[in-house]
Amino acid sequence: MAKFDDRLINGNQGAVLYLSRPANKTLSIRNATGTIEASSGSAALVVNLASYEKNLDELLQAAVALAQQALDRWAIHGNMSRVLDPSEDRHILWWSDSSVGRSCRMHTSYGLTMTLSAEAQVQDSNGNIRPSLPPSPPAWHLSFRYFRLAQSTTDMVDAFRNYYLALEAILSTIEPPPLRADGRPAGKEKDWLDAAFRAAAKLVNFADYAPPNTPNPDKFVRSDIYANARTLTFHAKAGALVMLPHEHQTRQRLRTSVKRLRQLYLDLTQASLGFRHIGGGGLTTSGFEMLASTYEGHAHLYVSSQPVQERRPGEPVTPDDLLAIPMFRSADQSDDTHVTFSGKIPLKDTSTRVRQFGVADQANTLIYEDLGATLDLEGFAHAEVVFDFRHDGASGTGIRHHS
């Protein structure tokens, strides 16, 4: 029977999702929606769904929703507190199809990035190169703490909240708010925010952060950041419209606001504090396409029943039982920020087992993913491997994945 380690894959549809760190207890929850199981020492959650979703995107979202609620309940009961890794990065899905039979998809995401920088040389009158001094780090500002935390999180709501607090901190330096003797605000938040945005407009051009030809771009940016996003992420009244952390719809809604907020904060900070954010030149869209295409025709996907072993960090040992799989580009899943390759696993019998999969060429394993346990595909008629290459620009949001 199909299983992942010792946990059965017995639903019509389901998923294996991954925690940010292994579970410390073996736990399970069963309800009308499905069953979710955590195993002590394993970062994998096995989700068997009772429902039947229309497509794989809805299947993944349903599995994530069930997993998030289970994690909430385990935390409030004092069993364990864990968070999911971004589900788009790594997951396994399975489903049943009347025409194909039982099918499985192993998916992982890999970021491609390239940072470019330029250095100018200064020569004296004799042609001797003058050594350049490293730029002095800026004096510490409390907004830097929030910026660093926003860069480090994997959740879009956490990122937005910290970027907003970073913006609020730098705006209060540009336009200090009136305060009481005890340090509490002396006026209305709205009045100070109006004044702060007017002062900020003298340092940056708000049209740079709004869609082209937007009338009153300063009002648009403020409305987008404050009314449309800040209010929904800083409040959680029951029954009210909110943006719940670690939700697919939340990530989709906040993506543009987070990018806009991050860039506005950086521009205002550099203009007001007099320093330069060194980010380097990012990988262009055409450069990303060229880099991703180098794998096409020169590499193949593979699966193996052996766990990943490394000679040294980042240098895997090619498994003895490597099964090469032709790699094809998925045109309907590729765009300017993603290039997706997939391949079908030849299921010659009912005992195919997979522990790792990846991308390899004639000589080396190039990219690899360890499932954390053995996936037994007994009874499956169809299985595929999917690698999603992401365009991770040098000036991203700092969040691991947001698609």
Side-chain angles (χ1 to χ4, degrees), residues 29 31 33 64-74 247:
I29 288 180
N31 56 33
T33 308
V64 169
L66 180 59
Q68 296 286 16
Q69 291 184 16
L71 291 170
D72 295 340
R73 293 170 63 184
W74 288 333
E247 290 285 321

Side-chain angles (χ1 to χ4, degrees), residues 34-338:
T35 303
I36 180 167
E37 297 177 274
S39 181
S40 180
S42 172
L45 297 178
V46 175
V47 182
N48 285 290
L49 293 173
S51 60
Y52 189 85
E53 305 301 330
K54 296 179 181 179
N55 55 57
L56 296 188
D57 287 339
E58 292 184 8
L59 166 57
L60 177 59
Q61 292 179 37
V64 169
L66 180 59
Q68 296 286 16
Q69 291 184 16
L71 291 170
D72 295 340
R73 293 170 63 184
W74 288 333
I76 202 66
H77 279 290
N79 291 315
M80 69 173 181
S81 294
R82 296 289 187 273
V83 296
L84 286 177
D85 267 354
S87 55
E88 295 91 346
D89 276 4
R90 181 169 59 146
H91 63 256
I92 304 169
L93 297 179
W94 63 86
W95 65 97
S96 296
D97 187 295
S98 57
S99 60
V100 178
R102 208 171 194 194
S103 302
C104 173
R105 183 182 77 175
M106 287 164 275
H107 179 283
T108 195
S109 184
Y110 184 80
L112 293 178
T113 186
M114 182 182 295
T115 300
L116 306 175
S117 61
E119 180 178 328
Q121 292 183 338
V122 179
Q123 298 179 341
D124 60 21
S125 58
N126 296 320
N128 299 314
I129 296 175
R130 293 179 178 177
S132 58
L133 297 176
S136 299
W140 183 83
H141 188 274
L142 78 163
S143 69
F144 299 170
R145 180 70 51 83
Y146 298 113
F147 178 79
R148 174 170 62 87
L149 293 176
Q151 290 283 104
S152 304
T153 186
T154 60
D155 176 59
M156 192 71 80
V157 171
D158 282 343
F160 180 86
R161 286 172 175 165
N162 280 299
Y163 280 136
Y164 182 85
L165 291 172
L167 177 66
E168 185 177 72
I170 198 63
L171 284 175
S172 66
T173 297
I174 297 169
E175 180 67 27
L179 300 175
R180 298 178 184 176
D182 60 3
R184 290 187 295 175
K188 294 182 179 179
E189 175 81 3
K190 178 182 180 301
D191 293 340
W192 168 75
L193 201 59
D194 286 341
F197 265 71
R198 286 195 298 270
K202 298 176 182 178
L203 299 175
V204 299
N205 182 3
F206 278 99
D208 294 338
Y209 316 102
N213 302 317
T214 298
N216 302 314
D218 54 335
K219 292 182 179 179
F220 171 86
V221 172
R222 176 180 166 177
S223 177
D224 175 71
I225 292 174
Y226 190 84
N228 297 341
R230 189 265 186 194
T231 304
L232 301 183
T233 55
F234 278 73
H235 298 285
K237 296 179 180 67
L241 182 62
V242 299
M243 290 190 186
L244 198 61
H246 296 270
E247 290 285 321
H248 176 77
Q249 290 181 341
T250 298
R251 289 195 297 274
Q252 295 296 95
R253 292 180 63 183
L254 275 181
R255 182 198 315 276
T256 302
S257 295
V258 164
K259 291 181 178 179
R260 178 177 292 126
L261 181 55
R262 177 186 185 274
Q263 194 58 52
L264 175 59
Y265 163 76
L266 281 174
D267 292 346
L268 284 173
T269 302
Q270 293 173 100
S272 60
L273 300 184
F275 75 97
R276 184 168 61 92
H277 176 74
I278 303 173
L283 188 63
T284 64
T285 299
S286 58
F288 166 70
E289 168 67 27
M290 183 176 66
L291 191 58
S293 296
T294 59
Y295 292 96
E296 200 168 6
H298 301 284
H300 57 261
L301 298 171
Y302 77 88
V303 294
S304 167
S305 64
Q306 300 174 2
V308 170
Q309 297 182 13
E310 296 179 314
R311 297 184 184 90
R312 58 183 65 89
E315 187 178 325
V317 176
T318 301
D320 297 333
D321 65 344
L322 182 148
L323 175 62
I325 304 168
M327 184 168 72
F328 300 97
R329 182 165 178 162
S330 304
D332 59 335
Q333 298 181 40
S334 301
D335 55 30
D336 290 345
T337 60
H338 295 266

